[in-house]
């Protein structure tokens, strides 16, 4: 009987101790979403291809830049892969839309309309 009494007291003591244990809230860690990202060129001429504000962040991001509507042809950038702000108003990094970097970052081109 003494053995059972000790076991019962141990179980009750464990239940009481766990009832008063403060649980720390789980705070999710926000990951920094990093690019590069796909941006679509807004114009139908090459006159503004080196101006970052002429590119719009594609939301949602395509799995394949060839799937972006209107990107069939040659001569004008259509979709580029560049760093920038991850959001609807994102603008690509200016260093990646200059004459030296743009050709390497252009994934799909379009023709003038």
């Amino acid at each position: 009987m003494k053995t059972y009494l000790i076991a019962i007291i141990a179980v009750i003591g464990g239940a009481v101790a766990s009832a008063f244990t403060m649980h720390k809230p789980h705070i999710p860690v926000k990951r920094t979403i990093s690019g590069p990202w796909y941006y679509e060129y807004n114009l139908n001429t090459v006159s503004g291809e080196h101006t970052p504000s002429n590119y719009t962040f594609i939301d949602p991001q395509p799995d394949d830049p060839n799937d972006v509507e209107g990107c069939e042809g040659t001569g004008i950038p259509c979709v580029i892969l560049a760093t920038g702000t991850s959001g609807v108003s994102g603008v690509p990094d200016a260093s990646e839309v200059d004459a030296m970097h743009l050709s390497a970052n252009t994934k799909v081109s379009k023709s003038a309309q």
Side-chain angles (χ1 to χ4, degrees), residues 39-98:
Y39 294 86
E40 187 172 8
Y41 182 57
N42 302 327
L43 305 179
N44 291 320
T45 66
V46 294
S47 64
E49 68 182 354
H50 296 132
T51 305
S53 61
N54 289 333
Y55 293 84
T56 303
F57 180 80
I58 301 173
D59 186 23
Q61 290 281 282
D63 292 328
D64 183 348
N66 291 306
D67 294 339
V68 176
E69 190 176 329
C71 292
E72 303 88 21
T74 59
I76 300 174
C78 189
V79 175
I80 66 167
L81 188 64
T83 59
T85 307
S86 60
V88 176
S89 63
V91 176
D93 183 348
S95 69
E96 297 185 35
V97 295
D98 66 7

